[in-house]
Amino acid sequence: MQSGLYVSLSSQMALEKRLNTIADNMANVNTTGFRATEVKFDEMVANTKNKLNTKVAFVSQGNDYLNEQNGELQHTGNMLDFAIKGDAWFSLDTPAGRVLTRDGRFTLKDTGELVSIRGYPVLDAGGAPIQLNTKGGEPAVGTDGIIYQGGRQVASLGLFEADIGKGYLRYENSGIMTTEQPRAVVDRFNVGVEQGYLENSNVNAMREITQLIEVNRAFESVSSLMRDSEDSFKEAVQTLGGSR
């Protein structure tokens, strides 16, 4: 009976984690370049410490992973707005280190340095900050990321990839810091840059609301089960103790 309570408690912890990810996703439904967080739950089997050596199934708290589905592209017409088509990331130089992002809202500083909306330098494929000519006219960027000014190649937007499944941390600017060192994307026909576009968040609001309702119902059901189990346990103790 106590094992049932432990299983119910582990279920509540897992549901609470899923509830937190849903809340975070909903808060970023309109955040440029944001990728939703999903949770993968695994079943764990443990042996209870009794003579029967009974196996009890527990629900793990789950592992976070990013939904890698691309968001819709929105046309802005801004020459310094960029969206990535395919599975790749821009790279920024931040105080915390290299950060990957799909938020392509860039601006040009008075010094000619291309920076993110938070002021972090945008990096080229070699990991160096991109420097443009402030008097060279509006930049034109090809689908390969090469930047031209006045018909002359002056720089290139770096596109990077990393195995996010090995671990990551969230960072501002819709960014992530990966455990694995990012690698520059080269010669990939299915990856490119669209100038004058931004990628919307890939959060599906209706799906998240549906999951929120399901999680709340499941939480209530587990809570009810725990109350019933506690009542049954108390009743059994009273009966065996001779108080009834």
Side-chain angles (χ1 to χ4, degrees), residues 44-193:
M44 298 185 298
V45 178
N47 292 327
T48 58
K49 294 180 179 180
N50 55 37
K51 294 181 180 180
L52 296 178
N53 199 32
T54 307
K55 290 186 176 181
V56 179
F58 292 85
V59 179
S60 72
Q61 292 190 38
N63 296 314
D64 295 350
Y65 69 95
L66 289 185
N67 182 337
E68 298 185 12
Q69 181 179 355
N70 291 351
E72 293 183 359
L73 299 189
Q74 178 183 356
H75 181 258
T76 65
N78 188 334
M79 298 297 288
L80 293 178
D81 282 345
F82 303 97
I84 298 176
K85 296 180 67 176
D87 189 15
W89 304 77
F90 298 117
S91 184
L92 308 176
D93 184 16
T94 76
R98 292 274 294 274
V99 170
L100 301 180
T101 183
R102 291 179 69 92
D103 183 352
R105 295 175 293 172
F106 301 150
T107 59
L108 201 60
K109 297 177 67 174
D110 294 339
T111 57
E113 190 174 30
L114 189 66
V115 297
S116 72
I117 195 171
R118 297 294 179 88
Y120 303 132
V122 182
L123 305 180
D124 62 18
I130 296 176
Q131 192 76 24
L132 302 180
N133 184 356
T134 56
K135 299 181 180 179
E138 290 187 339
V141 181
T143 56
D144 55 2
I146 296 178
I147 305 174
Y148 299 89
Q149 283 185 296
R152 185 170 58 90
Q153 179 179 340
V154 294
S156 64
L157 284 171
L159 299 179
F160 296 84
E161 61 183 354
D163 187 352
I164 302 172
K166 293 184 178 179
Y168 71 94
L169 292 175
R170 288 280 191 186
Y171 197 76
E172 56 189 85
N173 223 149
S174 295
I176 59 170
M177 301 180 66
T178 58
T179 302
E180 182 183 81
Q181 185 70 18
R183 305 175 301 277
V185 174
V186 293
D187 298 330
R188 289 265 298 276
F189 69 91
N190 58 343
V191 173
V193 175

Side-chain angles (χ1 to χ4, degrees), residues 162-224:
D163 187 352
I164 302 172
K166 293 184 178 179
Y168 71 94
L169 292 175
R170 288 280 191 186
Y171 197 76
E172 56 189 85
N173 223 149
S174 295
I176 59 170
M177 301 180 66
T178 58
T179 302
E180 182 183 81
Q181 185 70 18
R183 305 175 301 277
V185 174
V186 293
D187 298 330
R188 289 265 298 276
F189 69 91
N190 58 343
V191 173
V193 175
E194 289 288 340
Q195 186 177 22
Y197 287 82
L198 290 175
E199 180 184 7
N200 294 329
S201 169
N202 73 349
V203 175
N204 185 324
M206 291 303 299
R207 177 174 177 270
E208 295 295 328
I209 291 175
T210 300
Q211 290 193 349
L212 176 61
I213 295 173
E214 292 175 351
V215 169
N216 282 330
R217 287 176 176 172
F219 200 92
E220 291 173 358
S221 296
V222 173
S223 297
S224 177

